[in-house]
Amino acid sequence: MQRKDIQLITVAPGHFHAALVQKSMYPEVDSVVNVYAPDGPELNSYLALINQYNTRADQPTRWDEVVYKGADFLEKMLEERKGNVVVLAGNNQHKIDYITRSIDAGLNVLADKPMVINAEGFSKLEGTFAKAAEKDVLLYDIMTERYEINTMLQKALSQVPDFFGKLETGSAANPAITKESVHHFFKEVSGKPLVRPAWFYDTQQQGEGLVDVTTHLVDLVQWESFPDQIINHKQDIQLVSAKRWATAVSPAQFERSTGLKAVPAFLSGSVDDNGDLAVFANGEINYTLKGIHAKVSVIWNFEAPQGTGDTHYSIMRGQYANLIIRQGEEEQYKPVLYVESTGARDAQTFDAALAKAIDQLSGSYKGLKFEPTTDGRYRISVDPSLVTSHEEHFAQVTGKYLEFLQSGMMPDWEVPNMIAKYYLTTKALEEAETVVSP
C-alpha cells in the first residue's frame, strides 16, 4: 500500500488526549503511527485506548502503532523522522521543549493545550512560532471547544447586529463576556475510569488552573468576540486582576485516581497540614480585550455528583440580547444556549429580530429553532446530528489542522491569537502568585 502524505508521530503520550486524536481515521493520514515514549503506565494506557478503538464493533479504526520505548525517545524520534506531524499530549513541563525541538527539525506539530505553563515557556513559544514560519511548518494547539454547537451558535448570533446589537463594553464588576468551567479529577473516558499519572497533580508539571483549562476559555473569548481578527497581545490585552486557589485531594482520592497507594516524593511539598494534596487547579482572570471587559474562571473538584459531569457557563452581553450557555440540572448537565432580551427593545420588536436572525442562520445550522421558556427568554436548539461530544471534537480539530497542512497555511490571525492567549494566561499566573490566596 502506498504511504500517504501525512504520517503521525506520537511523542510521550502522557495524556489521554493523544489517543483521542486517533479515535477516528482520516483519509489523508497514513495508518502507521510511530510512537516514541518512555516505557511505563502512561504509554500502556495510550496503547490500550488505541487498541480499544481498533477493536470496537462500530466503525473500528485501523491504526498500526510502531512503538519505540526508551529514555532517549525524543532523540530517537528526531534521528529517525518517521513522519511529518508530531502529536503532543502529556507532561506540560516538557511540552515546550518537545515543541521547540520538533519545529527546529522541520516537523509540523499538533499540540494539546496548554503549550506553555509559565512566562519562561511563553518566551520560548514566541520564538518557536517565528522558527515555524522560517521552516515553513505549522504549529497548532487543540482547541476543541470551538466545535461545541452551543458555542458556535453563541458566536453566530453575536455576529447578527440587527438582533444582538453591539457587544457591551462591560466592567470588571460586570464583564461583557464571562466564561466559567468546572472540571473533575476523576472521570470516565471512552466508557472506562480515567487513570491520572501522579504528575497530573504537580502544578510544576501539569500547570496551574490559570494556565491550563483557561486556554480554552481565553481562546473562545477571542474567537467569538473578534472573529477572524488579529489580536496584538502588546496592545489589545490589559490584565485587570488574577487569583488562584487550591483543591484539596485526600490520600484516598489520590489513590483512586492514580492507582498509587503513596504520594510520590515530588508531591510532598504540596501536602497540607491535614495530609491532603493542595492542588492549585483553580483560578480567575479579569482582563480587557480591545477595550471589552472579560472574565474567565476554572474550578476543579475531585468528582462530579452522580449523573453529572464537567460543566460550562458562558454569557455574552449585547446591546439588545444576552446569549447564555448553561449546563446545570435544568439542562440535564448538557450545554444549552438561551437568548434573553436586555429590555432595550419592546417584546414584539425583540421577538421579530430573533425570528429573523434564526431564519438567517438556518441555512448553516440544520433544524435551528427557538422556543420561549419565560418572558423575553428563549431556548435555542438544533438538529441532534449537530450535537457532538467532547471526544468527537478531537477529530474535528484534527480535520481542520489537516486542511491547514494540505493548503500549506493557516488563517493569518491564528498564530498571533495563540500568542495572545498564552501571553494572557502566563501573565495572569505571574500576577496571581503575588496575591495571598484565600
Side-chain angles (χ1 to χ4, degrees):
M1 183 179 292
Q2 186 178 8
R3 199 173 188 204
K4 295 187 179 179
D5 289 340
I6 296 174
Q7 299 95 36
L8 302 181
I9 304 171
T10 300
V11 174
H15 195 287
F16 68 94
H17 287 176
L20 287 180
V21 168
Q22 294 176 244
K23 194 173 181 180
S24 302
M25 301 294 293
Y26 310 92
E28 57 273 78
V29 177
D30 201 282
S31 60
V32 175
V33 176
N34 284 273
V35 183
Y36 297 84
D39 198 5
E42 295 172 25
L43 174 61
N44 294 337
S45 294
Y46 160 79
L47 293 174
L49 271 176
I50 299 300
N51 183 63
Q52 181 181 330
Y53 302 150
N54 278 346
T55 57
R56 67 191 178 208
D58 183 27
Q59 296 184 309
T61 52
R62 304 178 308 281
W63 299 112
D64 179 8
E65 304 286 302
V66 179
V67 183
Y68 175 84
K69 304 175 186 178
D72 62 341
F73 63 91
L74 184 63
E75 299 301 331
K76 193 71 172 178
M77 183 276 286
L78 294 169
E79 174 192 328
E80 294 186 342
R81 292 175 60 97
K82 290 186 175 179
N84 49 15
V85 175
V86 174
V87 177
L88 293 171
N91 190 307
N92 295 322
Q93 184 179 45
H94 305 304
K95 189 180 291 177
I96 184 58
D97 294 323
Y98 298 162
I99 290 171
T100 300
R101 295 287 301 280
S102 298
I103 295 295
D104 284 345
L107 296 167
N108 300 283
V109 175
L110 178 63
D112 191 32
K113 62 82 195 152
M115 291 203 281
V116 295
I117 59 173
N118 51 41
E120 180 186 0
F122 172 73
S123 180
K124 291 179 181 178
L125 184 64
E126 279 193 291
T128 302
F129 273 117
K131 178 68 75 170
E134 178 186 316
K135 294 277 188 177
D136 197 25
V137 293
L138 300 184
L139 169 58
Y140 195 60
D141 61 355
I142 300 175
M143 291 289 101
T144 49
E145 300 311 302
R146 294 184 188 179
Y147 297 85
E148 200 285 309
I149 186 60
N150 294 282
T151 298
M152 295 167 70
L153 291 171
Q154 186 182 47
K155 176 187 179 183
L157 284 168
S158 74
Q159 297 302 309
V160 182
D162 288 346
F163 163 67
F164 184 69
K166 292 182 179 179
L167 183 64
E168 293 286 353
T169 300
S171 64
N174 187 22
I177 308 162
T178 299
K179 292 187 178 291
E180 300 171 353
S181 180
V182 179
H183 292 257
H184 301 89
F185 290 119
F186 188 81
K187 62 170 68 174
E188 287 191 350
V189 174
S190 297
K192 295 185 178 181
L194 173 64
V195 177
R196 300 279 191 187
W199 58 257
F200 189 83
Y201 291 96
D202 181 3
T203 55
Q204 296 302 307
Q205 298 187 65
Q206 172 61 22
E208 293 202 11
L210 276 175
V211 294
D212 183 11
V213 174
T214 53
T215 55
H216 280 305
L217 307 181
V218 173
D219 181 77
L220 291 181
V221 170
Q222 297 177 171
W223 182 73
E224 291 186 70
S225 306
F226 299 97
D228 305 332
Q229 294 184 40
I230 291 174
I231 293 167
N232 183 321
H233 68 282
K234 294 178 180 178
Q235 299 174 2
D236 296 333
I237 294 175
Q238 295 292 326
L239 178 63
V240 176
S241 64
K243 62 181 181 179
R244 61 203 271 270
W245 63 98
T247 296
V249 176
S250 72
Q253 290 173 329
F254 181 80
E255 179 180 351
R256 187 176 172 213
S257 172
T258 64
L260 301 176
K261 294 187 180 299
V263 173
F266 66 78
L267 283 170
S268 60
S270 299
V271 177
D272 65 19
D273 294 341
N274 298 318
D276 297 332
L277 273 179
V279 186
F280 278 87
N282 314 291
E284 178 182 291
I285 309 172
N286 282 276
Y287 65 106
T288 62
L289 176 63
K290 292 183 181 284
I292 301 296
H293 281 269
K295 180 179 80 171
V296 299
S297 60
V298 61
I299 293 171
W300 279 82
N301 299 319
F302 180 73
E303 183 179 11
Q306 186 66 35
T308 71
D310 293 353
T311 62
H312 177 70
Y313 168 80
S314 172
I315 182 170
M316 294 183 75
R317 299 195 302 111
Q319 180 182 4
Y320 304 128
N322 295 328
L323 309 174
I324 308 165
I325 298 173
R326 297 187 186 276
Q327 194 178 349
E329 184 177 2
E330 182 182 342
E331 294 78 28
Q332 299 179 310
Y333 300 98
K334 303 292 184 184
V336 173
L337 175 63
Y338 299 93
V339 301
E340 64 180 21
S341 171
T342 62
R345 287 171 161 170
D346 62 59
Q348 185 176 357
T349 304
F350 179 82
D351 292 356
L354 173 58
K356 185 176 179 181
I358 294 295
D359 183 63
Q360 182 178 325
L361 296 173
S362 61
S364 301
Y365 301 97
K366 181 181 176 183
L368 183 62
K369 61 182 181 180
F370 64 99
E371 56 183 338
T373 58
T374 58
D375 287 345
R377 189 166 183 255
Y378 298 87
R379 178 177 177 140
I380 308 299
S381 60
V382 291
D383 188 89
S385 65
L386 299 183
V387 180
T388 52
S389 69
H390 176 63
E391 293 190 13
E392 291 173 303
H393 296 160
F394 282 84
Q396 293 173 285
V397 176
T398 304
K400 177 60 70 174
Y401 180 64
L402 295 174
E403 290 178 18
F404 296 156
L405 287 176
Q406 290 181 311
S407 69
M409 60 186 297
M410 294 190 287
D412 61 359
W413 52 269
E414 283 280 18
V415 168
N417 292 13
M418 280 188 274
I419 291 172
K421 172 174 57 187
Y422 289 110
Y423 163 78
L424 176 61
T425 58
T426 56
K427 186 174 179 62
L429 177 61
E430 278 193 315
E431 170 72 19
E433 286 176 331
T434 68
V435 178
V436 177
S437 303

